[in-house]
Amino acid sequence: MQTIKRLTPFLSVAAQLQPADMALLASNGFRCVINNRPDNEGEGQPSSEAMRAAAEASGLEYHHLPVVSGQITEADVAAFRELLERIKGPALAFCRTGTRSASLWALAEAHHLDPQVLLQTAQQASYDLSGLLPRMQQYWQSIIDQPLPAASTFAATPRYDVLVIGAGAAGCAVTASLLKRDPELRIALIEPRDQHYYQPGWTLVGAGVFDRANTERAMSRCIPSRAQWIRAAAEAFEPEHQQVVLEDGSRIGYRALVVCPGLSLDWDAIEGARDSLGKFGVTSNYAFELAPYTWQLVQNLRGGKALFTQPPMPIKCAGAPQKAMYLSCDHWRQQGVLKDIEVDFCSAGAVLFGVADFVPALMQYVERYGARLNFNHSLVAVDGPAHKAWFKVTDGAGQHSTVERDFDLLHLVPPQHAPDFIRHSALANADGWFEAEHETLRHPRFGNIFSLGDVCSAPNAKTAAAVRKQAPVVAENVLSVLKGSGPRALYDGYGSCPLTVEYGKVILAEFGYGGKLLPTFPLDPKVPRRLAWKLKTQWMPSIYFDMMLKGHEWLAEPKHLDFEPRSAEARNACDFTQEKKG
């Protein structure tokens, strides 16, 4: 269940809850639940009726007061205030991140409580509501019958030299790289989560090599100390005003914007997946909570059918679906049970791996483990209790059919796309990803906006290794633009996929745009090596947490243009680039 944050003895708030949480809330003394999210607002969101049924089954009073993110109206505030006045007992309000519910509370109480007290209370619960101060001041002043202060005395929209959306690998790394180059930058990160995850380690958690706890750190330890952490969710963009709209409706200004919120896992694109995950033999290393269950299933399976799936591209770490298969098969081989297990790899793609140079070495392991390859197979539905899965199969003529398969173990990987607030914005390309020039990572229409990481449309592998090379490129180009020049640093599409083909050996696949091999070391990258296993399991976590996120750009020096860009975008530099910092 999400962390519960107490605002008053009467009201607490939380991020998105699940129906299964209702019984625990009742046992903890809550008597009422308030849902502030409209239905169908995001992936994986249970319906209000499902939440109501679960709440009432646990003896809780339930209210649905849907509020559109970023658009809290006067009617919303009045309805929330009226609801607080008539409900009984301790109540818990929730929304996507908790910010909307906390904002409703602050606005509803501002008619009789000092706004500074409300802001301080919210801050203690890790919600920064300072953007609501002008509105709360109006409520407060009108009630105590004093003239409203002039608009100029209200808190102005905060504005930073650089605003970064997302504090995952990309956001923390690029912030550290920026501050390494200019420690005096006014820079802020927008990030609602309290925890930061080393996601490349989850494949090894699913193989019993890593402890899940070692892949998680407090966000406060990962965000560079000289950056301002805005604990909120971004909701929309106003590039024409150089502002980002937060979930509570407040706005943050910028001179340059870096967009790197990661991607969204669409579990609901597979019918029945969400109801089956974590039980019935259905698992996924793409979820922090489920990777240990993968290892439990692998250890317990002594015979039967094991299915490993891969959805349509693009996805985070394209090699991860088959890495789960290789490590599972190697464990079964060592236990002497592989001969009793039918292993199928079902991929929506037409090839085993997108860079052809690595396919022969991978095929040797496919044959060693006796795995069957099923291309053009997209998982569309799962029935966990029946242990059945259905795939949409596309033949050479483009015709579709549905195939049913039984399983004892199903490792599924969900389809993936950009977060909704990116997909529905002016910054997205036709496929919904952040539109970016492939070499400079700058938006082609908004010259002071850049992107990196999984949300970026550049055709590179979506891996942490790519971020390691992208962060210095974006940092140098942002600073160049702030000084009134065009981007000079270039990204060559570098990405790395350490393919764990067996315990103790890894194929360190490193490549750039067009599948060009870009090995870091003077060794044949197509050969499985124990040295690469040591790099993956012993050195990479430290390289990630203690170097990349801290601005230490190990082997990541970007290439540079040796002349000033002559593109239309470069010539039409935005007016903001002439501003002086401070």
Side-chain angles (χ1 to χ4, degrees), residues 418-429:
D420 284 345
F421 78 99
I422 300 290
R423 291 199 292 168
H424 302 150
S425 76
L427 305 183
N429 66 8

Side-chain angles (χ1 to χ4, degrees), residues 19 21 25 53 56 73-74 108 112 141 149 152 171 181 195 281 300 306 333 397 474 499 527:
D21 297 327
L25 292 178
E56 293 178 349
T73 67
E74 296 300 314
H112 69 98
Q141 293 290 351
S152 61
R181 289 165 172 79
Q195 297 300 115
N300 292 338
R333 180 186 64 82
V474 172
L499 294 156
V527 175

Side-chain angles (χ1 to χ4, degrees), residues 106-107 110-111 113-116 118-119 130 132-144 146-149 153-155:
L107 292 170
H111 69 290
L113 293 178
D114 187 333
Q116 293 297 338
L118 295 171
L119 289 180
S130 56
L132 297 178
L133 182 59
R135 195 168 172 183
M136 290 192 288
Q137 287 274 21
Q138 290 178 333
Y139 297 152
W140 172 248
Q141 293 290 351
S142 62
I143 290 300
I144 63 176
Q146 292 183 4
L148 288 172
T153 66
F154 285 147

Side-chain angles (χ1 to χ4, degrees), residues 221-263:
R221 294 178 58 193
C222 298
I223 292 178
S225 59
R226 292 194 301 276
Q228 174 70 39
W229 179 13
I230 300 174
R231 302 187 190 189
E235 183 63 27
F237 301 95
E238 295 179 345
E240 65 279 8
H241 301 302
Q242 296 174 33
Q243 292 182 346
V244 171
V245 182
L246 302 184
E247 188 177 31
D248 63 4
S250 60
R251 284 161 170 76
I252 307 292
Y254 58 82
R255 293 178 63 212
L257 176 66
V258 180
V259 181
C260 45
L263 51 70

Side-chain angles (χ1 to χ4, degrees), residues 389-436:
W390 289 268
F391 295 85
K392 182 179 74 173
V393 181
T394 305
D395 63 21
Q399 298 299 309
H400 303 301
S401 60
T402 301
V403 172
E404 178 184 295
R405 291 184 180 274
D406 299 327
F407 66 84
D408 296 285
L409 182 156
L410 171 62
H411 180 272
L412 65 82
V413 179
Q416 296 160 37
H417 55 68
D420 284 345
F421 78 99
I422 300 290
R423 291 199 292 168
H424 302 150
S425 76
L427 305 183
N429 66 8
D431 295 322
W433 301 94
F434 179 98
E435 188 174 2

Side-chain angles (χ1 to χ4, degrees), residues 121 139 148 178-179 188-189 192 217 230 278 308 329 338 364 367 379 381 422-423 458 551 559 564:
T121 300
Y139 297 152
L148 288 172
L178 281 162
L179 289 170
L189 285 88
R217 283 192 184 180
I230 300 174
F308 297 84
C329 285
L338 180 59
Q364 291 181 14
E367 294 166 2
L379 180 65
I422 300 290
R423 291 199 292 168
K559 299 178 181 178
E564 190 70 23

Side-chain angles (χ1 to χ4, degrees), residues 1-6 9-10 12 14 17 20-33 58-60 89-92:
M1 186 171 69
Q2 296 288 344
T3 301
I4 296 174
K5 299 178 179 180
R6 179 177 172 180
F10 184 76
S12 299
L17 299 175
D21 297 327
M22 296 301 104
L24 183 57
L25 292 178
S27 68
N28 286 340
F30 287 98
R31 299 181 63 185
C32 175
V33 172
S58 297
L60 295 169
L92 178 67

Side-chain angles (χ1 to χ4, degrees), residues 43-82:
E43 305 95 347
Q45 176 189 353
S47 68
S48 177
E49 285 308 306
M51 296 298 294
R52 179 186 300 278
E56 293 178 349
S58 297
L60 295 169
E61 185 179 344
Y62 178 85
H63 297 275
H64 189 206
L65 181 60
V67 176
V68 177
S69 181
Q71 303 177 33
I72 299 178
T73 67
E74 296 300 314
D76 294 332
V77 174
F80 195 78
R81 180 186 301 135
E82 187 273 334

